Amino acid sequence: MERLPGVSLPSEFLALVWSFVTVVAISLVSIASYVQAAEALPPQITAVTPNRTSVPRYSLLQLQVELEAEYDNPFDPDQIDLQAVFTSPTGRVLRVPGFFMLPYTRESAPGEVEWLSYPGPGQWQIRFTPDEVGDWTFVVLLKTPQGEAQSSGGRFVVTPSDAPGFIRVNKENPRGFAFDNGQPFWGIGENMGWYGSRKSGDYDVWLNHLAENGGNLIRVWMASWGFGIEWDGPDGLGNYLFRQDRAYQLDLLFERAQELGIKIILVLNNHGQLSARVNPEWDRNPYNVRNGGPLSRPTDFFTDPKAKELFRRRLRYIVARWGYATNLFAWEFWNEVDLTDDYDAESVTAWHREMAGVLRTLDPFDHMITTSFSDYRQEPSIWMLPGIDFTMTHFYGQPPRGDPDPAKSVLQRDRDKRRFDKPTFTAEYGLDWSAPSAQDPDGTHLHDILWASTVSGAAASAMTWWWDNYVDPRNLYRHFRPVSEFVARIGAGSLAGEPFSARVSGVPSGRRIEAYGEKGPNGVTVLWVRDARATWAEMKQGYQPQPVSGLSVELSGLAAGRYAVLWWDTVEGKPVRETTAIVGATDQTLVLDIPDFQRDIAAAILPERQP
């Protein structure tokens, strides 16, 4: 999306920055104290302390590691490489990188402007999420140019839990998502790219409102003005010491989202970092040769060996610190990479192929990987890569009139992306790319894109972009609840299916009633019937949909049998009518009377299971 935030930094934040610099200096002196002038000392592991010895399955095991070693940059694995090797009850071996951090505490109350404590002494940690019940063992390894060290062996037991695990591409339905335990997942949510003046306090409010209305998915950027860990500071490139407060903020976000059942798509880079034209940040980018970096041009980021080495280092830290999270939905390499300067599809495709392989090797938890483009028609060469797990679409209407029919846009683009035989959904949508959707104050288009997603074959709902200056101030979260309750009623496995057409009869003159359908992999058929004239645009011009009655819809190709039919109020989020129907073995056609409605109505036709 082509916008940058106008976030002002309060004076207390600047004071904290100077205090932070002082602490960093003290930390560096402490680190340097290990260096002996006369001789190089081999590294030592002096203690390994787990946060617990009994761990529920898919919960966090955290190891606090005390060590002595020589290094200048604790984020450079060539100087100091900390890892743990875990062995599962069935003999699987998982290697997990460790990381250095400065610990903070948030002093402010939830929802208030964030105020962080001064960081304490640096710590080394290893975060691990076990996926097998039983007895596990581990050993911690430390390596520096001066030598290697190994801890004594440790043990812990993993107990059963109800946690469903990490989210993957669904093995039973490769167009959808599912947890490790096989339970299907269908995302309902919005973008929450970065915080505003309250910093992490903004997320307290936004996440609560989304969760209260059934939302379960957000998309977050590691932007320079937000959660980015590699940008400014005295050693901004390849050294994340100056931005440990941002890393702590991201810790808080993952923890709070986990409590609320919300999954996070983590965007690692945004296009402006490599652009002097579109949301330009290139002049301040530490990779820029003018700032001491290795690159003369933004496009060299994708081919320069030093730049790739530095990005691999950043990937390692990101995996070490946040890879443990079961609510990490996916890594997204780029937001709209085609908006970087001098975009070259061949070199960008090669970069994605290489870095997907690197990330897959680094990440012991095997989270999904994706990327994104501003032009929904790009980039087939990347979507077809085996290392890219699902496709995404960004689409915006053009100013000043915006997108006249958002539902149609979502339906068309989601269905077009099905040609890649991977899960897909619309990860950014807006009526107008240049500004919030003030022309639709009630969120009519938000309602429409959410319901269109249920019948488009998408693996998640379309995600609106304007979260902080449209959805939240206008309290439009209410549009998520009817969809989430519908999905909860019919089951997430009823979606991400095969789109099909349905024919509506009895349409009165002056109305344009359309029906869209999707056959779920579990045999459930979902319908969305709407007055296609009752878009936000036509209603703004004066069209007022009136209640319509006497309609019927014809469905073909259903398996013979008995069905429960659920008609759903898309505004109130409750059943309108519940009946049964029988499909004969001869024609496999079902004709249903549609309850009276005004703008739209949804339905699910569920096979009745035999006892």
Side-chain angles (χ1 to χ4, degrees), residues 560-578:
R562 186 178 180 88
Y563 291 84
V565 181
L566 169 68
W567 288 98
W568 194 260
D569 187 319
T570 61
V571 175
E572 296 297 325
K574 62 183 181 181
V576 173
R577 178 193 297 166
E578 297 183 64

Side-chain angles (χ1 to χ4, degrees), residues 251-270:
D251 285 344
L252 290 177
L253 175 58
F254 270 101
E255 292 166 8
R256 183 56 180 153
Q258 175 69 12
E259 293 171 1
L260 296 171
I262 294 175
K263 318 306 176 187
I264 297 174
I265 301 169
L266 189 61
V267 184
L268 308 183
N269 301 281
N270 54 287

Side-chain angles (χ1 to χ4, degrees), residues 23-214:
V23 173
V24 167
I26 293 172
S27 298
L28 291 175
V29 170
S30 177
I31 291 169
S33 67
Y34 290 119
V35 179
Q36 304 296 314
E39 60 179 332
L41 297 178
Q44 297 183 50
I45 298 173
T46 58
V48 177
T49 306
N51 64 331
R52 50 188 166 181
T53 56
S54 180
V55 185
R57 188 184 187 195
Y58 294 118
S59 296
L60 172 64
L61 174 75
Q62 185 165 282
L63 304 180
Q64 188 87 5
V65 181
E66 305 294 332
L67 59 84
E68 296 181 1
E70 297 179 11
Y71 51 89
D72 295 318
N73 181 357
F75 308 100
D76 183 354
D78 289 336
Q79 294 187 33
I80 179 166
D81 184 354
L82 180 69
Q83 300 184 33
V85 178
F86 294 88
T87 303
S88 79
T90 59
R92 290 167 50 236
V93 176
L94 292 88
R95 189 175 293 266
V96 180
F99 64 96
F100 179 86
M101 64 175 291
L102 293 182
Y104 287 82
T105 302
R106 194 173 80 167
E107 303 292 340
S108 51
E112 295 182 356
V113 175
E114 173 196 285
W115 182 254
L116 301 183
S117 65
Y118 297 128
Q123 299 177 1
W124 287 93
Q125 291 188 5
I126 295 167
R127 293 175 176 174
F128 180 67
T129 300
D131 59 355
E132 288 184 22
V133 172
D135 294 326
W136 287 71
T137 61
F138 68 87
V139 63
V140 176
L141 308 176
L142 177 62
K143 181 180 180 180
T144 73
Q146 288 74 42
E148 299 182 11
Q150 178 175 315
S151 72
S152 57
R155 295 179 177 274
F156 60 97
V157 62
V158 175
T159 58
S161 77
D162 295 331
F166 295 91
I167 295 177
R168 324 283 187 191
V169 174
N170 191 338
K171 294 179 181 178
E172 303 300 321
N173 174 26
R175 295 192 184 279
F177 302 119
F179 292 96
D180 281 333
N181 68 354
Q183 175 186 336
F185 175 84
W186 199 77
I188 302 173
E190 61 174 337
N191 284 270
M192 286 190 189
W194 52 82
Y195 48 71
S197 59
R198 289 178 297 188
K199 293 177 275 188
S200 64
D202 278 330
Y203 282 99
D204 296 328
V205 176
W206 300 337
L207 292 174
N208 284 343
H209 288 163
L210 183 64
E212 288 166 359
N213 288 276

